[in-house]
Amino acid sequence: MLTENMPAGAAESARKRLITAAEDLDDNQVAGLVLDLAAEVGVTSFWEQVCLPLLGALRGHSAAEIAVEHALSEGVRVGLDVFRREPTRPLPVEGVLLAGAEHETHCLGLHALAAALREHGRGCLHLGSALPWSALASAVARVRPRVVVVWSQTPVTGRAYRLVRLRRDVPDVRLLAAGPGWIEPFPPGPAAPRRLTTLAEATAACLEGGAPAQRLR
């Protein structure tokens, strides 16, 4: 598997194939291409060089463009979720928990992170988008993860004070703020939640200090 950046020509070709499938509103073909590309070049290279530029170029100025954007997003989500998934594999103790911030419905980045972790042989508990803060706190208390990653796409959902409050409630858990929505400053100090800006950075942060997967007791 390639670990370095994709050549510019290869990345451009991959983007053209994906957008052609999305313009045909064929999310299954998009998902299949995602699986092939992630296996060929790695999840991080695919996400950062192929997926992000495509998603950023879709502005949704018309009904047709909105439909294409939805076909692309759904196909990418399905492809990432299927990539190296083992449904019967037990969750690790003291592992990684992923969740979208309350009211945040756009969480493709979390699906990419989950796929990248599986690529490195690490599972995670992915609770999806728009998880209420109270439900997140309850899940953390129940699962006892080592790392919690909260995704925010927009400043409307990236409320720093909510993450700081959660940090006080779970002092033994590493809290990571992922996505572009966290623009409010966190209070200084070693206990402040860490802000992540790239998939490579997020993957490394989740793997940092991790122990081999164990069965839930």
Side-chain angles (χ1 to χ4, degrees), residues 45-200:
S45 292
F46 161 72
W47 176 254
E48 294 184 347
Q49 294 183 255
V50 178
C51 197
L52 286 183
L54 278 183
L55 292 170
L58 292 173
R59 301 300 181 184
H61 292 315
S62 68
E65 289 178 353
I66 292 172
V68 169
E69 181 180 7
H70 277 243
L72 176 64
S73 297
E74 181 64 8
V76 168
R77 182 192 64 80
V78 171
L80 290 172
D81 284 351
V82 172
F83 180 76
R84 295 196 180 178
R85 180 177 287 278
E86 300 175 49
T88 60
R89 182 178 182 179
L91 292 173
V93 174
E94 297 184 350
V96 178
L97 188 155
L98 312 180
E102 189 170 63
H103 304 305
E104 181 55 72
T105 59
H106 296 86
C107 292
L108 267 184
L110 281 186
H111 295 272
L113 178 55
L117 290 175
R118 291 195 299 272
E119 185 178 37
H120 285 82
R122 300 290 181 87
C124 66
L125 174 59
H126 186 185
L127 295 182
S129 60
L131 186 69
W133 288 104
S134 58
L136 176 57
S138 175
V140 171
R142 178 177 178 181
V143 179
R144 297 175 290 112
R146 177 177 52 87
V147 178
V148 172
V149 181
V150 184
W151 179 276
S152 169
Q153 186 72 21
T154 71
V156 175
T157 61
R159 311 310 300 269
Y161 79 93
R162 298 304 300 263
L163 208 55
V164 170
R165 182 183 300 174
L166 180 65
R167 180 70 184 84
R168 288 198 300 264
D169 293 339
V170 290
D172 297 329
V173 175
R174 280 203 296 132
L175 278 181
L176 306 177
W182 303 103
I183 63 173
E184 294 180 0
F186 294 119
R194 178 177 170 187
R195 197 187 311 270
L196 305 171
T197 58
T198 68
L199 178 57

